[in-house]
Amino acid sequence: MELVIVEKAQRRETGYRLLSEGLSAWFLSAGILLIWNRVLETECPAELLLGISLLVVLLCELIPWKYFASVCAMGVAGITAVAAFAGLPNVSDGLIGLNNSFATAIGEHTGWILPQYVLQNEQTIGTNVSLVMGLLAVVMALLAFGMVRGKRMWIMAPVLIIVLLPTTLTERSIGYSGAVLIVIGVLGAAASHIYNCLLYTSDAADDRIS
C-alpha cells in the first residue's frame, strides 16, 4: 500500500514538472520567437515556430540528462554557423534575409545605416528565412528549457534584455501575444523554482524526522 502511494506521488510530481517546467520553457521561447517573427516581418508561419518549440521542449522532458538542452543548443547553433560559413545557400541566404530585414527595421526608425548583403537566390528567400527561423526556434526552446530546468533564474533577465532590446530600436509593433507568453513563461519558471525549493525543504525535514 505504501509503495502504491509513493508511486502515485512520483507520478504527480512528474506531471507537475511537465506542466510547470515544460510549459514555462515553451511559453518563454514561443513569446520571444513570435516577437522576432513579427518585428522582422518574415513569411514564416507562427504555427510552425510554436510547433517546433513545443516538440523540442517535449523531447527535453523525455531525456533525463541534465545538460541535454544546453549541449544540444550549442550543437545546433554550431552546425548552423558552420553551414553559413561553408556557404550552404539555404542557411546563408536565410541568415542574410533576417539580417537585411533587421537592418531595414532599424534604419526606418533610427536612421542608422546597418550593413546589408546580397542574396544568392532571391526567389527562395521566404523558404530560406523560414528554415533559419525554425533552427532559431530549436535553439531558443533548448536555451529556455535549460534555464528553467537548471533553475538559472539569475541569467533569465539579462538574456531577455539582450534578446528583446533590439526590438525597441524599431517602430514596428511587437504585438500582445508574444509579450503575454513571455510574462507567463517567466512567472511559471519562478513558480516552478519556488515549488522545487519547498519540495526539497519538505523532503529534508521528513528525512530528519525519520
Side-chain angles (χ1 to χ4, degrees):
M1 182 66 179
E2 183 177 353
L3 180 60
V4 174
I5 295 175
V6 172
E7 289 179 349
K8 289 182 178 179
Q10 290 177 345
R11 285 197 295 268
R12 285 197 300 268
E13 182 180 344
T14 301
Y16 179 81
R17 187 178 70 247
L18 176 63
L19 290 175
S20 60
E21 293 181 349
L23 288 179
S24 296
W26 182 48
F27 286 147
L28 188 60
S29 60
I32 294 173
L33 291 167
L34 290 180
I35 287 177
W36 273 100
N37 197 43
R38 187 181 181 93
V39 169
L40 296 177
E41 296 182 347
T42 73
E43 298 179 4
C44 181
E47 295 80 7
L48 176 63
L49 300 178
L50 295 175
I52 291 176
S53 57
L54 178 60
L55 289 176
V56 171
V57 168
L58 291 176
L59 177 63
C60 290
E61 285 286 357
L62 298 175
I63 304 297
W65 186 32
K66 180 179 179 180
Y67 302 104
F68 173 77
S70 301
V71 172
C72 286
M74 291 186 291
V76 175
I79 292 173
T80 303
V82 170
F85 283 113
L88 189 65
N90 293 337
V91 177
S92 59
D93 271 5
L95 290 172
I96 290 174
L98 291 178
N99 172 82
N100 294 349
S101 180
F102 181 69
T104 300
I106 294 292
E108 290 175 350
H109 183 58
T110 64
W112 298 348
I113 301 177
L114 299 180
Q116 299 191 34
Y117 305 96
V118 178
L119 298 168
Q120 299 182 47
N121 188 350
E122 296 185 359
Q123 296 180 349
T124 59
I125 182 60
T127 303
N128 294 337
V129 167
S130 296
L131 171 64
V132 172
M133 285 297 294
L135 293 174
L136 290 177
V138 173
V139 174
M140 191 60 63
L142 289 170
L143 290 176
F145 187 87
M147 285 191 296
V148 175
R149 169 62 64 85
K151 310 300 183 294
R152 300 181 179 91
M153 301 296 295
W154 59 275
I155 66 173
M156 190 171 295
V159 166
L160 288 176
I161 292 174
I162 293 173
V163 171
L164 298 177
L165 182 60
T167 62
T168 63
L169 300 176
T170 72
E171 60 182 5
R172 297 175 181 176
S173 172
I174 64 173
Y176 292 105
S177 56
V180 169
L181 288 178
I182 290 177
V183 171
I184 295 175
V186 171
L187 293 177
S192 175
H193 179 65
I194 294 173
Y195 171 80
N196 287 323
C197 290
L198 294 175
L199 185 63
Y200 176 79
T201 304
S202 176
D203 291 340
D206 292 340
D207 292 339
R208 286 195 298 269
I209 294 175
S210 60

